[in-house]
Amino acid sequence: MNVQSEPRWIIDTRSAAGGERRAIYFVRDISVRGQVRTARLRASALGWYRAFVNGDDQTGPALVPRWTPFDQYVEFQDYDVTTTLVTGNNRIGLVLGDGRYRGGLGAFQHDSVYGDRLAGWAQLTIEYVDGTRDEYVTDTTWKVGAGPIVRSDPMAGEVVDLRVPSALDPATVIGGFPHAAVTPSGARQLIAEEVERVTEIGRLSAASIIRTPSGKQLVDFGQNASGVVRIRLSGPPGRVVRLNHGEIKGADGELDIKYLTPFRAWPHKPQTDQVTLDGRTMWWQPWFTIHGFRFVEVEGLDANLTSEDIEFVVLSTALEETGSFTASDPRLQKLYENVRWSMRSNFTDTPTDCPTRERSGWTGDAQVFAAAGTVFADIDAYFRRFLRNLAAEQLPDGRMPIYAPAEASEFSGGMARTTRMLSGSAGWGDAIVLIPWTLYSYYGDTTVLESSYPAAQRWIDFLGNRAAAPSRRKRGRRGRVSAHHEQFIVEKGFDWGEWMRPGESFLSSAVDSFRRSGATVATAYYEHSARVLGKIAGVLERTDDERRYTDLADSIRLAWREAYLGPDGRIGIDRQDDYVRALAFGLLDEQERPAAAARLAGLVIAADYHLGTGFLSTPMLLDTLRDNGYADVAYRLLLQETTPSWLDQVNRGATTTWETWEGYTKRGSAANSHNHYSFGAVARFLVEHVAGVAPGKAGFETIEFRPGLESGLTSAAAAVGTPRGTASIAWRKTVGHFSVHVVVPPGALGKLEISSESHLLTEGEHDLHVTIHGTLVNSRDAP
Ligand code: BGC
């Protein structure tokens, strides 16, 4: 059973006139001739779709197909409908909403980026017990009917009129409906979906329902997340009910969505679902939209809602969550859970920056978070898919688009000029080198290194071209650079820079990068990615490339040192992130490291144990301090409770991680997104260094168990999924005594380090008991 080589997409020729964006109900009746042995329905859409057989929803709450570079390929789903078909007449249906194809995208919520006409594709293959088979595909025999969904936008919400009868209903006579038309598929390919769908992963009940000062009903689910509500509606026919979604309840007690419009030129449409009632009492849930929210404001219902009447249907990629973390300090546990919620909220059809404002697959955010993602769930396939999308839209000069998919299509004139202009930023585009390396480190599979290799090479070439281009900006330099080394300094072009240090806004971050630190950051990333690509080449046994990229990294390193390392040991602009990058990327010689680490610790202490880092360096900050003799400073930072810090957000009631360290303006109103996963990259540190379970050799062939005793906690525990099974650690400290329980999955070798003693552990469970001063008193395998 093969997918049509030239899939026939059907359209409603009447749609798209005057920018109309109605949902489309395609239907067709077929006759089942006898006893069915097996029947499979394959379906897809340019838009989001639900497939129906005799009114039975095959797709359910899943938002499919996922977002891909739609000009190039679209994913399809496969449903087993063997027991759903009946002998005789059957009605097959496809209902289409805008999805990412025609719906609003990105910061400016532009619609109709990929096309203004939704299209559906289906292939039903029935094999009968007698060995014969029938096949039905989308073609002009399909009819175009109507149904209650008037309009649906993935960001702005769904509009429904329940009074409109549905063509899916087998009782609706469809004979007189207009025929669908077939549209050529062009170069677009259909490919099988490879990742768990974005679908319902759980439900949340209302934590409280109040009337706001203005009299609206406001439901608080107590958790910021992505999804939709399921609500019991009743009222007279024609009554309009509106559901407004948002993350924040303002100081005035009303839903606040104003902060999503950071400035007037960047307006944000509210996330609103609207239902016109038909007089019945019924449960309702939108089909083709997804919101980022914790609160929902309900307008138009007379009766007071109770928690029996409304639920939060959480939508995310249905990954199996294998990770856990607990600690004697409940604030750290809450932090870990907040990161998990931000990951769920943003692991939708592409890993996004936030589930509200932009919902774009920003590369930098994914790059800094990927390793943290592994501590919660197996994200290998999910990120490989992201990388494939990213590579598919690489620009001819090697630039990586700022997000994947790149929100670009021939239909709307190709990649937007600004996207093109902003693509190529260091730390963002490096996702094509660094994410494959992260996946390899955690999952041990070299195929991702292989598949992303050509794009990674082109990216390094691109950075090389940026470096070779003369630039008049020499800002942030500490030394004069020889003519030979000048060609390795990445100064020309655009960089986001460190991005969102404490106190920075979009504008000040960008200005800082342009005027002061952009080249320091970019040159360091050029070195780092070239070195990592050298390692990748080594794993792939491309010896010449290994040499070439390692030599390149060595040259960039020398140039970087000349430009940004002062004779007094000061680095770049002399901020925390300068030292973090230098130490974490190995840009310093051995004898220079202690002074740089001391300066980093000194900067942190001078800030009264507050961090000063943004998106790029925060994930490396604590490890860098810890690995360079300042574990005490690292833990004080981690446990810091005033702004800027992770626990400050926790203490202020955050249920997800925020885009900025502050989260609110000085006057107390919300600012920027409250559900960005980037600063949540700290979850990896919690698992790997506070609890103490981390990969050693790629794919957890060896596992490092190193309890974070310096944390001052009395106990911590974590489990992580590895390709070999679950690895876990649980430790506890009491007066004069320390005990640890470790699980090494089959085929792995564990190394447990406590108080500078090292123990090799084979697969299985192990308990160790140690006196508090470090002498091993007992070691035995658990029964
Ligand atoms: C996004 C980020 C992104 C950034 C680029 C923002 O508007 O929300 O998370 O990485 O732009 O610097």
Side-chain angles (χ1 to χ4, degrees), residues 353 357-358 362 365 428 496 499 506 615 659 676:
D353 55 338
R357 193 187 61 223
E358 293 170 53
W362 281 95
D365 308 42
W428 270 251
W496 297 104
W499 196 250
F506 295 118
F615 271 32
E659 179 177 17
H676 252 63

Side-chain angles (χ1 to χ4, degrees), residues 107 266 352-354 357-360 362-366 402-403 425 428 494 496-497 499-500 506 509 615 659 672-673 676 678:
W266 186 351
T352 58
D353 55 338
C354 56
R357 193 187 61 223
E358 293 170 53
R359 310 180 184 200
S360 302
W362 281 95
T363 51
D365 308 42
I402 39 182
Y403 25 66
S425 166
W428 270 251
F494 174 81
W496 297 104
W499 196 250
M500 293 292 180
F506 295 118
S509 273
F615 271 32
E659 179 177 17
N672 297 81
S673 135
H676 252 63
S678 300

Side-chain angles (χ1 to χ4, degrees), residues 364-381:
D365 308 42
Q367 186 270 110
V368 297
F369 188 78
T374 68
V375 307
F376 294 100
D378 180 350
I379 60 161
D380 197 17

Side-chain angles (χ1 to χ4, degrees), residues 28 74 91 208 212 288 301 336 352 374 395 409 460 473 486 492 513 528 605-606 631 640 740 763 775:
R28 115 151 249 192
V74 185
R91 179 156 302 170
S208 74
T212 65
F288 298 126
L301 282 186
Y336 173 88
T352 58
T374 68
L395 289 140
S409 165
I460 295 295
R473 278 190 267 155
E486 198 63 58
K492 185 99 179 160
S513 170
H528 183 53
I605 294 165
Q640 173 61 263
V740 60
E763 66 183 52
T775 320

Side-chain angles (χ1 to χ4, degrees), residues 406-455:
E407 304 176 11
S409 165
E410 284 311 311
F411 179 80
S412 48
M415 198 180 286
R417 254 217 354 229
T418 39
T419 310
R420 224 172 251 280
M421 232 169 61
L422 301 177
S423 294
S425 166
W428 270 251
D430 292 284
I432 196 64
V433 184
L434 303 180
I435 296 179
W437 185 246
T438 299
L439 295 181
Y440 168 71
S441 307
Y442 284 86
Y443 301 110
D445 188 346
T446 57
T447 51
V448 68
L449 302 180
E450 196 73 64
S451 57
S452 51
Y453 194 76

Side-chain angles (χ1 to χ4, degrees), residues 587-614:
L587 295 166
L588 302 174
D589 289 343
E590 218 36 61
Q591 74 279 7
E592 293 158 352
R593 295 181 66 88
R599 179 68 188 155
L600 172 60
L603 287 169
V604 171
I605 294 165
D608 195 19
Y609 292 92
H610 287 95
L611 47 75
T613 48

